[in-house]
Amino acid sequence: MLAPADLLPEGSQHRLCRRLAHGAPPFRLDRARGGRGRWPVNLDRDDQHAVPPHAASPRRAADGRGGDGSPRRLAPKPLQLCQSYVSRGLLHARPDPGDPRRSLYDPHEVAALAERRHRSRARREVAASTTDWGEPILRSALTRIEGGRFFYRGQDAVRLSEGATLEEAAALLWDLPLPPGPWDLPPVTSAGSPFETGLRAVAREAARPDWAGQPERIAAGAARLLALVAGSVSGGAASTGPAHARPLHAGLAAAWGVGEAGADLLRRALVLCADHELNASAYAARVVASTGASLAACVLAGLAALSGPRHGGLTPLVRALAESEEVRHDPLRAFSARLARGEALPGFGHRLYPQGDPRAGALFAVLPPEGIWAEMIAAAAALTGLRPTIDVALAMLEQRLALPPGAGLAVFATGRTVGWIAHALEQRADGRLIRPRAAYAGV
């Protein structure tokens, strides 16, 4: 909740508002005041009604016309701009409990909006910016991220994770009724880590054409592919079979030797990982789907993208960080040294969630961080104000449940398979080939 005591220094408020009005790039907030850089901003002060440089100047005639006789065009005042942005849903305002005439704004939203306004509107520059957390580039009815929350087809994903299975999340995102189990699966041979085993299993299926026209056949193929990923990352023990038609999370729990409480944690994690809008792996899956490739090929593309250390591959890096000797000895000192060397803190800070990743928060609510995990989270907050992401929660889940090394990433991959399939189906229905152009920058 925003509080008046947390207001930015008045000079900072005024500068931020003027930069927003002028379309200037946002400046870095002064983290020395409080150390976290998450102050609300008051933009309703009277002295912020400054006229931008491109509006009327003192030299213009008093009759409302410029020196050349042309009509004078007054630019909107910062307060009017902010109110306009609120009405269009680009900013969110809260009344100041101490003064009902004032409003409080989230500085992260203001800075992000200022950055977007600063970008050139040239067509090529706008197109180039879309690949780097920029403007939306396609329409999707799958997942919406807004206000620190995310929704699967309009349903709050965190709330859904409290009781739904991954299969139920799949039926929602695919907009298809799932076929009843058991699902027939090919034999799976364990090969290295759980993730590597899943990658190899899907690769063997990728060349098979499976785009059937009937919804029931599409649903059967998608369900079979999801079960293949779940079965392969567990070494085949999680696969449903004639003797036991059980939920996928229960199969994973049995394969990894965790009890009922652990199975419920896996269920929640799987649902929370099911989709996350147009991330790198989802986009990779959509590109492949647009070519008409098989559903397994789309999932294979998603798995390949997920393996990178700037995506799902971050999860094993977080586990390694937590087990490093310097971090276990003194997390605050170790994190401070990393930052001094210009290194990032893997698993902390998400550009879509400046106030904290709701997926991590949902898992921490039922599995509170303890020991080194609590110390790492506290150290990151004290030094940077950054909060843990889903990668930290999955790494902690892997360690606390004594799962096989790499199981956290395997859970991520199994859950996200639902989203890759959903994106592939949606892109396939769109019917267009994704084929962007490149601006040649060579000699």
Side-chain angles (χ1 to χ4, degrees), residues 152-153 160 164-175 178 226 270-272 274-275 415 418-419 422:
Y152 298 155
R153 291 194 183 273
L160 185 69
T165 63
L166 182 62
E167 292 89 331
E168 291 168 339
L172 172 65
L173 285 167
W174 298 348
D175 196 24
L178 290 188
L226 173 60
L270 289 167
V271 173
L272 290 168
D275 191 42
V418 167

Side-chain angles (χ1 to χ4, degrees), residues 10-11 13-15 17-18 42-51 78:
E10 291 189 359
Q13 297 173 20
H14 303 165
R15 289 195 303 275
C17 187
R18 290 189 181 114
N42 167 38
L43 300 179
D44 296 346
R45 297 290 298 270
D46 292 339
D47 58 354
Q48 294 176 53
H49 292 198
V51 180

Side-chain angles (χ1 to χ4, degrees), residues 249 253 258-268 366-367 397 401:
H249 71 271
V258 299
E260 184 176 346
D264 186 66
L265 289 170
L266 291 173
R267 179 193 59 75
R268 291 173 184 264
V366 291
L367 187 68
L397 180 72
L401 294 182

Side-chain angles (χ1 to χ4, degrees), residues 21-33:
H22 300 171
F27 55 89
R28 186 171 65 181
L29 299 180
D30 180 9
R31 295 184 182 275
R33 299 177 181 271

Side-chain angles (χ1 to χ4, degrees), residues 86-407:
V86 170
S87 67
R88 289 150 55 193
L90 300 177
L91 287 178
H92 296 84
R94 297 187 184 183
D96 185 344
D99 186 348
R101 297 171 299 177
R102 303 195 306 174
S103 298
L104 302 180
Y105 301 80
D106 187 329
H108 295 285
E109 286 189 351
V110 176
L113 181 57
E115 182 178 3
R116 291 198 299 270
R117 285 174 54 83
H118 176 65
R119 291 173 179 158
S120 168
R121 294 296 91 189
R123 182 177 178 182
R124 289 187 178 182
E125 293 189 20
V126 171
S129 72
T130 62
T131 62
D132 184 24
W133 303 86
E135 301 297 328
I137 63 173
L138 55 80
R139 297 176 63 86
S140 174
L142 300 178
T143 300
R144 175 169 60 95
I145 299 174
E146 182 179 357
R149 301 163 66 193
F150 68 115
F151 305 81
Y152 298 155
R153 291 194 183 273
Q155 294 194 33
D156 187 301
V158 170
R159 187 172 301 171
L160 185 69
S161 72
E162 294 174 357
T165 63
L166 182 62
E167 292 89 331
E168 291 168 339
L172 172 65
L173 285 167
W174 298 348
D175 196 24
L176 292 171
L178 290 188
W183 301 331
D184 182 31
L185 299 177
V188 176
T189 302
S190 179
S193 69
F195 183 84
E196 183 180 353
T197 302
L199 194 66
R200 290 176 180 271
V202 174
R204 285 191 291 269
E205 298 287 307
R208 295 179 51 179
D210 62 356
W211 287 110
Q214 297 85 358
E216 60 274 12
R217 294 190 63 185
I218 295 176
R224 179 180 180 278
L225 187 55
L226 173 60
L228 171 64
V229 174
S232 59
V233 299
S234 66
S239 304
T240 58
H244 53 277
R246 57 190 175 190
L248 294 178
H249 71 271
L252 288 173
W256 290 334
V258 299
E260 184 176 346
D264 186 66
L265 289 170
L266 291 173
R267 179 193 59 75
R268 291 173 184 264
L270 289 167
V271 173
L272 290 168
C273 290
D275 191 42
H276 205 232
E277 202 217 53
L278 195 62
N279 51 74
S281 59
Y283 188 60
R286 292 189 80 115
V287 170
V288 173
S290 76
T291 71
S294 71
L295 202 57
C298 301
V299 172
L300 183 62
L303 285 167
L306 186 72
S307 67
R310 299 177 67 179
H311 196 1
L314 196 64
T315 300
L317 295 183
V318 173
R319 176 73 186 269
L321 180 68
E323 294 180 344
S324 66
E325 184 177 349
E326 60 175 351
V327 170
R328 297 190 69 83
H329 177 69
D330 189 337
L332 187 63
R333 179 185 291 271
F335 280 12
S336 180
R338 287 183 66 95
L339 295 171
R341 295 192 299 265
E343 300 176 9
L345 301 180
F348 290 92
H350 197 296
R351 290 181 64 171
L352 295 179
Y353 302 117
Q355 302 302 322
D357 188 335
R359 300 168 296 177
L363 287 177
F364 291 155
V366 291
L367 187 68
E370 298 176 353
I372 189 61
W373 300 101
E375 294 175 16
M376 286 171 54
I377 292 171
L383 293 170
T384 67
L386 299 177
R387 300 186 180 184
T389 65
I390 183 64
D391 304 281
V392 174
L394 291 175
M396 185 187 76
L397 180 72
E398 177 186 308
Q399 187 262 342
R400 294 274 293 274
L401 294 182
L403 303 181

Side-chain angles (χ1 to χ4, degrees), residues 397-435:
L397 180 72
E398 177 186 308
Q399 187 262 342
R400 294 274 293 274
L401 294 182
L403 303 181
L409 176 56
V411 170
F412 200 158
T414 303
R416 189 56 56 87
T417 296
V418 167
W420 295 329
I421 292 173
H423 280 280
L425 295 175
E426 189 177 59
Q427 187 62 42
R428 182 70 172 181
D430 178 81
R432 289 180 291 180
L433 174 68
I434 296 178
R435 205 304 190 182

